[in-house]
Amino acid sequence: MRAAGGTRGRRRVVVGVAALLVGATGLPVPALGAPTPGTATPVCAVRDRRLNEISGLAATDGGYVLVNDGADDEARRRIFFLGPDCRVVRDVPYPSRPRDTEDVAVTADGTVWVADVGDNDRSRTTVAVWRLPPGAARPVLHRLSYPDGPHDAEALLVTGDGRPVIVTKFSGALYAPTTAPRPGATVPLTRVGQVRLPATTTSNPFGVLGRSAITGAATAPDGSRVVLRTYADAFEFDVTGGDVIAALTTGTPRTTALPDEPQGESITYDRDGRSVLTVSETADQPPGTVPRILRYPLAGPAAAPTGGTREPTDAPTGAAPTAVVGAGRRGGDVHPAVPLAAAALVLGGVVVAGLVALRRIRRR
């Protein structure tokens, strides 16, 4: 995630806090999911100094594909191919300068997709995906435009028929191109759905906002499952008949905790599909900190959380989404109303914690 502009960023923080205060009297009580405890096993360390802002990770038969999220340093504006020991074996430069590359996906035929979709300030008129076919020397740029104004996003999925799907960061909205992306043209996106994730209490550096921000996505090698991640947890959905959109908009995810990663934005399936791999940015960590790829076993089918869901908002700051109590994606019985005084105390704590976390997130 790239840093936001100072004055504009401060304005958005104020707007976000105001939005929370306006909704104080109707604040529902959040339901908390019960994620499977995450037990990480280190796989390998990424020691190439160019890879300290890793925002996208994909596993391949021969190793890994990684991208940074920064574009300031020319040496980092590349698609990096790593061997199984995390050593860089090849890198492919971008043909032009990206704005904010945030995720990477590799499809079954070996095509690499890079999502240049980050937009902390929500100021971009277009976003882009970069497509690198197997054996190609340079990726091809495809520009895309939202139908309803700018969005910040950090997660990309690619369907079995080669359709990229962008998942926005704080609202969980799903966007896909109206036609196949093509070079030299800006293809309109259309909103195809909304994902709602269970609330959790998993510890992470950004608190409540870290549990709400969708920072990465991946598809299982056989296409039967997809996973979204936040700074705190991984949420796995079953895919039926290749319909990724239906899985995300109607399915109930299984939750695996990814606790206390420094700034975990990336996720991919291991090649056997039985675990997920993650890696964190380390640019703001103590000197000498090395990013490490971690493996987490996935929660089994019976481990789906039974708590409620959160109704994401598309507030311009990424303010904490409203929580809804009840079973199922669309919510069930609403929890009895909280007395106004108690709600005010809860809201005050949320605002303070959210403001601190939001400032930390937007600086990264």
Side-chain angles (χ1 to χ4, degrees):
M1 173 173 33
R2 307 243 357 246
T7 302
R8 182 177 296 176
R10 286 191 291 273
R11 287 198 193 111
R12 294 189 187 282
V13 168
V14 172
V15 171
V17 173
L20 283 173
L21 291 172
V22 168
T25 56
L27 181 70
V29 177
L32 302 176
T36 297
T39 302
T41 302
V43 176
C44 56
V46 182
R47 299 189 181 278
D48 193 301
R49 293 183 179 180
R50 296 172 295 176
L51 285 163
N52 69 344
E53 294 183 272
I54 301 170
S55 60
L57 165 69
T60 67
D61 290 336
Y64 311 100
V65 181
L66 282 76
V67 294
N68 287 301
D69 79 349
D72 295 333
D73 186 342
E74 189 278 333
R76 292 181 168 90
R77 299 198 294 263
R78 299 163 188 271
I79 303 172
F80 292 89
F81 294 82
L82 281 62
D85 59 356
C86 282
R87 293 179 182 271
V88 175
V89 296
R90 180 168 70 103
D91 61 73
V92 176
Y94 298 122
S96 60
R97 179 169 178 159
R99 290 283 297 276
D100 192 1
T101 47
E102 290 287 0
D103 206 0
V104 64
V106 179
T107 56
D109 66 353
T111 298
V112 176
W113 293 80
V114 177
D116 180 12
V117 295
D119 190 12
N120 289 341
D121 288 338
R122 292 170 178 81
S123 60
R124 299 179 63 170
T125 57
T126 65
V127 294
V129 291
W130 303 78
R131 182 175 176 274
L132 180 70
R138 292 288 187 274
V140 177
L141 173 66
H142 301 283
R143 295 196 180 278
L144 308 169
S145 61
Y146 289 106
D148 50 3
H151 296 273
D152 190 20
E154 296 191 7
L156 175 73
L157 291 166
V158 181
T159 62
D161 59 356
R163 189 186 194 195
V165 178
I166 297 170
V167 188
T168 60
K169 185 171 184 178
F170 286 104
S171 66
L174 310 175
Y175 290 88
T178 54
T179 61
R182 55 191 185 276
T186 298
V187 173
L189 293 163
T190 186
R191 182 165 172 155
V192 293
Q194 178 99 35
V195 63
R196 296 171 172 87
L197 301 178
T200 75
T201 56
T202 303
S203 176
N204 73 95
F206 307 109
V208 63
L209 289 181
R211 293 189 288 270
S212 301
I214 298 172
T215 63
T219 303
D222 64 359
S224 66
R225 289 156 291 141
V226 294
V227 65
L228 304 179
R229 75 158 296 165
T230 64
Y231 289 111
D233 302 283
F235 301 90
E236 186 182 44
F237 297 78
D238 292 322
V239 177
T240 301
D243 194 338
V244 171
I245 304 302
L248 292 173
T249 55
T250 66
T252 299
R254 295 177 291 276
T255 309
T256 299
L258 313 174
D260 299 317
E261 293 191 357
Q263 189 177 343
E265 296 193 5
S266 306
I267 193 164
T268 186
Y269 281 90
D270 206 348
R271 295 307 294 165
D272 62 9
R274 291 181 292 188
S275 57
V276 290
L277 305 173
T278 70
V279 67
S280 286
E281 289 194 18
T282 56
D284 294 329
Q285 300 305 306
T289 303
V290 175
R292 297 180 183 277
I293 294 178
L294 303 176
R295 177 183 288 111
Y296 292 87
L298 285 165
T306 57
T309 59
R310 61 177 177 86
E311 286 281 353
T313 64
D314 202 17
T317 59
T322 303
V324 174
V325 178
R329 183 180 71 88
R330 301 182 183 278
D333 296 333
V334 178
H335 194 281
V338 180
L340 183 59
L345 289 175
V346 172
L347 180 65
V350 170
V351 169
V352 172
L355 182 58
V356 172
L358 183 61
R359 283 178 174 169
R360 292 180 64 192
I361 290 177
R362 291 185 66 81
R363 284 200 303 266
R364 293 173 181 257

